[in-house]
Amino acid sequence: MIEVKRQLELQKEYPALFDIDSNLNRLVKRIELLNYVNPLNIEKEKHRFFASKYTLEPEFKYPKLKFDSYKLQRLFFSQRLERIEDESIRKLYQDVIYYYANMIQCIETIGQGKKFYYNSLRAFGTPTEKDVQNARFILHFKDEPSSVDMDKVFSPDEAKAYFEDYITRYTFPLKIRFSTNIAAEAMVSNSSQTLLIKKNVKFSKNQLLTLANHEIGVHLVTTFNGLDQPLKIFSNGLPKNVETQEGLSVFSEYMGGALTLRRLKELAYRVMAADGLIKGYSFADTFDLIHGQYKLNREEAFGITLRAHRGGGFTKDRLYLSGLRKIYKRYQNEEPLDILFTGKVSLDYEEQMNHLRQLGLVQPITHKSLSFEQKLNTNNTLDFILNNLK
């Protein structure tokens, strides 16, 4: 964590930069995409979809907008970036503004079909042919035999107790809240530094270890590391940070001994579901692909289909597998990972981050992900797969 005296010195040295960074921080706090894109009526629509024998398209409802999108975009673009003298930093902040302006457009068009989908494409892209080939490569492997660690027997309250015990290994606090309106079993709200746990599901022992490594070991670690940086941009997120953050998070599962072939297949199904969007697949079409053709059980198939189709077509999930591939290769090449834990950062901006570090505007990280201290994975099939991803 940066000392107060050093923070004041940097603010004095780069007044325009800190002024703009502070302005953007106030604006960004109002937009967290995942707070808006998760439907409010998931359970009701799931029941209706199942009752229709997988034919009726779900009619999802979403939270109402809590800001004026036009006014908020105007405030982003009113920042006088020409005041930042350093060209590299100025360009970085320009990219940040375009990135968050697009996030506003994403939120504004949630539930509006193709409008949202095209905004989602600008933010998260679509699976490449290599991504799809990698997904198919993973899906051709035979399922592993089931074990008691995969049995979903733990309640949300027991999950909460597990995470409260797990957090004692770290020096930052853990806020936990239950929710019925999230697509995942658990997720971190970056803006409130809170771990959200889905209220109406059961968890397996392996799933708890997976979520602990993923959500606490990376998402919360990078959240609190970002808050300790001189510039707020690191806690709010750089452009294209999702692929890097999710890549680190899944790699944390691997290092922590939680990653399974089943989980890897889940990431592959997500790629296939995202790929279906660009082919014009409906919700029922995607569900048929995952449940009917690939034979995944209907509850999990619905979850994957929901994640891809929420909002009108959400391609974020395609980044988990490509992110894992990039982080795994970096690890294999013995390249440093610490810079990637500075906050919500992106591999695409490593050069700019190193430049900021030379100027003292990036400080050494406060919190390390404990799973990265030793490799606990013993599954040779996973190593074979990860070594052969294109």
Side-chain angles (χ1 to χ4, degrees):
M1 185 185 292
I2 189 167
E3 294 176 359
V4 175
K5 183 184 174 186
R6 182 62 184 139
Q7 176 81 12
L8 292 172
E9 287 171 356
L10 287 169
Q11 287 173 355
K12 198 172 179 181
E13 193 176 349
Y14 303 99
L17 172 60
F18 277 89
D19 184 34
I20 290 166
D21 183 73
S22 180
N23 289 342
L24 292 178
N25 180 53
R26 282 193 294 274
L27 298 176
V28 170
K29 288 284 180 277
R30 299 166 67 182
I31 51 170
E32 187 161 3
L33 180 57
L34 291 181
N35 287 346
Y36 288 99
V37 79
N38 288 319
L40 298 169
N41 58 339
I42 295 172
E43 290 304 313
K44 180 185 173 187
E45 289 305 301
K46 180 169 74 171
H47 180 76
R48 196 170 74 92
F49 181 71
F50 286 170
S52 75
K53 294 191 167 56
Y54 323 136
T55 56
L56 273 181
E57 291 291 303
E59 295 174 9
F60 294 120
K61 293 176 182 174
Y62 300 93
K64 287 181 181 174
L65 223 57
K66 293 180 181 175
F67 57 84
D68 183 313
S69 55
Y70 174 75
K71 282 183 182 175
L72 193 55
Q73 274 201 323
R74 194 173 64 186
L75 289 169
F76 270 100
F77 284 112
S78 69
Q79 303 304 312
R80 290 172 52 215
L81 296 185
E82 67 276 7
R83 293 162 58 208
I84 300 176
E85 293 175 8
D86 186 296
E87 188 180 348
S88 172
I89 301 175
R90 186 169 63 246
K91 177 67 171 64
L92 171 62
Y93 273 78
Q94 184 178 313
D95 288 354
V96 165
I97 287 172
Y98 280 125
Y99 174 71
Y100 281 108
N102 187 48
M103 282 295 132
I104 294 169
Q105 288 180 303
C106 277
I107 294 169
E108 184 185 19
T109 53
I110 285 171
Q112 295 181 32
K114 293 292 184 190
K115 273 190 181 179
F116 173 79
Y117 174 59
Y118 292 133
N119 286 323
S120 168
L121 280 181
R122 277 209 297 274
F124 306 108
T126 192
T128 64
E129 189 52 44
K130 270 187 185 176
D131 292 336
V132 175
Q133 286 172 7
N134 285 335
R136 287 184 177 138
F137 170 65
I138 291 167
L139 293 173
H140 95 271
F141 281 85
K142 189 179 177 183
D143 288 340
E144 293 166 327
S146 193
S147 71
V148 290
D149 285 356
M150 306 304 285
D151 294 339
K152 296 193 173 188
V153 294
F154 296 98
S155 69
D157 284 319
E158 288 171 319
K160 180 174 182 279
Y162 179 90
F163 296 135
E164 285 172 339
D165 176 65
Y166 190 87
I167 199 67
T168 57
R169 306 168 202 191
Y170 288 94
T171 56
F172 50 78
L174 177 66
K175 288 187 282 184
I176 294 178
R177 188 160 58 82
F178 293 112
S179 173
T180 53
N181 300 322
I182 54 175
E185 277 80 4
M187 61 170 273
V188 165
S189 168
N190 186 43
S191 58
S192 62
Q193 298 102 53
T194 303
L195 177 65
L196 304 175
I197 299 175
K198 200 165 190 176
K199 199 173 182 180
N200 48 357
V201 295
K202 293 268 188 172
F203 299 83
S204 69
K205 185 178 178 182
N206 173 264
Q207 199 174 14
L208 292 177
L209 181 61
T210 298
L211 289 167
N213 280 293
H214 187 110
E215 302 294 342
I216 297 173
V218 174
H219 287 324
L220 278 176
V221 164
T222 54
T223 290
F224 283 100
N225 278 339
L227 290 168
D228 285 344
Q229 291 299 322
L231 295 166
K232 305 293 185 189
I233 191 178
F234 288 98
S235 60
N236 291 324
L238 299 184
K240 301 180 181 178
N241 73 79
V242 171
E243 183 177 46
T244 303
Q245 293 301 301
E246 299 303 351
L248 284 170
S249 298
V250 180
F251 187 66
S252 175
E253 299 171 26
Y254 167 81
M255 292 295 283
L259 190 64
T260 61
L261 177 58
R262 183 175 175 174
R263 168 68 165 158
L264 212 49
K265 283 190 170 187
E266 180 188 339
L267 305 186
Y269 289 132
R270 291 180 183 182
V271 171
M272 300 305 290
D275 184 57
L277 293 171
I278 208 162
K279 294 172 179 170
Y281 280 22
S282 66
F283 190 100
D285 292 335
T286 304
F287 181 84
D288 181 59
L289 172 72
I290 308 298
H291 177 62
Q293 293 181 47
Y294 281 113
K295 307 301 180 190
L296 186 66
N297 72 72
R298 73 176 194 170
E299 289 288 335
E300 290 179 72
F302 182 89
I304 286 162
T305 306
L306 163 67
R307 288 177 68 106
H309 282 267
R310 55 187 162 162
F314 194 36
T315 58
K316 169 182 173 277
D317 276 3
R318 68 112 190 162
L319 294 167
Y320 286 66
L321 190 58
S322 59
L324 171 62
R325 181 181 60 82
K326 288 179 180 179
I327 298 299
Y328 183 80
K329 283 196 171 181
R330 190 181 174 103
Y331 171 78
Q332 292 292 88
N333 294 335
E334 298 184 355
E335 295 175 54
L337 293 167
D338 270 13
I339 190 83
L340 303 179
F341 281 92
T342 307
K344 305 299 179 184
V345 304
S346 165
L347 276 165
D348 291 18
Y349 289 88
E350 190 171 7
E351 189 180 320
Q352 289 91 328
M353 287 190 291
N354 284 324
H355 176 60
L356 287 166
R357 183 158 61 177
Q358 287 168 1
L359 297 174
L361 291 163
V362 166
Q363 296 291 309
I365 60 174
T366 310
H367 311 284
K368 292 197 172 189
S369 182
L370 301 181
S371 65
F372 284 70
E373 290 178 0
Q374 58 174 325
K375 178 186 165 187
L376 297 180
N377 174 67
T378 55
N379 189 326
N380 293 330
T381 303
L382 293 184
D383 285 322
F384 177 80
I385 292 172
L386 294 176
N387 280 317
N388 285 281
L389 294 179
K390 296 177 182 176

